[in-house]
Amino acid sequence: MESLRNSLVFLTALLHLGFLFLEMFLWKTPKGQKIFRLEPDFAEKSAVLAANQGLYNGFLAAGLIWSLCAIDPVMAFQLKIFFLSCVIVAGFYGAVTASKNIFFLQALPGLLALSSVLLLK
């Protein structure tokens, strides 16, 4: 059960590393504009904000990876709960304010991972 739980946490971290890459490095590219459905002018004007958003996604990924590397099992458990909760809150906020798809891309994986952490003990 622990391997399933840790796999879901790791996959959530990988998603956030992907978001970091998309928002920090691909935002102004044709591929990034296609993924986010952006006009080139808007992509150019919002690139700094997107990079900032990507950096926050990187912090979430770093925290989740930290939770997987923590030696103390109590600390690892607490880190998983904290960072997965942050992922879920960010996902719900993004779904309400930006795009409903964010729920499925961010909040739902976080919810599944947090559920596994809490229920698969």
Side-chain angles (χ1 to χ4, degrees):
M1 289 296 149
E2 185 175 347
S3 62
L4 174 61
R5 178 175 58 233
N6 287 340
S7 294
L8 290 171
V9 172
F10 184 68
L11 288 173
T12 305
L14 284 180
L15 279 173
H16 284 271
L17 288 174
F19 300 152
L20 173 148
F21 187 75
L22 287 169
E23 293 165 346
M24 293 188 83
F25 303 109
L26 296 183
W27 189 259
K28 295 189 292 185
T29 69
K31 183 173 183 126
Q33 291 169 24
K34 182 178 178 183
I35 290 168
F36 292 105
R37 297 184 203 129
L38 304 172
E39 295 295 324
D41 185 53
F42 180 79
E44 187 66 40
K45 290 178 181 175
S46 61
V48 173
L49 292 173
N52 188 49
Q53 186 172 288
L55 186 61
Y56 286 113
N57 278 306
F59 292 145
L60 291 173
L64 292 170
I65 292 167
W66 178 24
S67 79
L68 295 170
C69 298
I71 296 169
D72 178 7
V74 173
M75 181 180 191
F77 179 75
Q78 292 170 340
L79 288 168
K80 286 175 182 133
I81 290 173
F82 175 77
F83 283 100
L84 288 168
S85 296
C86 290
V87 164
I88 294 163
V89 169
F92 273 110
Y93 185 80
V96 169
T97 61
S99 168
K100 290 183 182 13
N101 290 338
I102 294 173
F103 173 81
F104 298 102
L105 295 171
Q106 184 172 4
L108 186 58
L111 281 166
L112 292 173
L114 181 60
S115 296
S116 74
V117 168
L118 294 173
L119 300 175
L120 299 178
K121 272 218 135 196

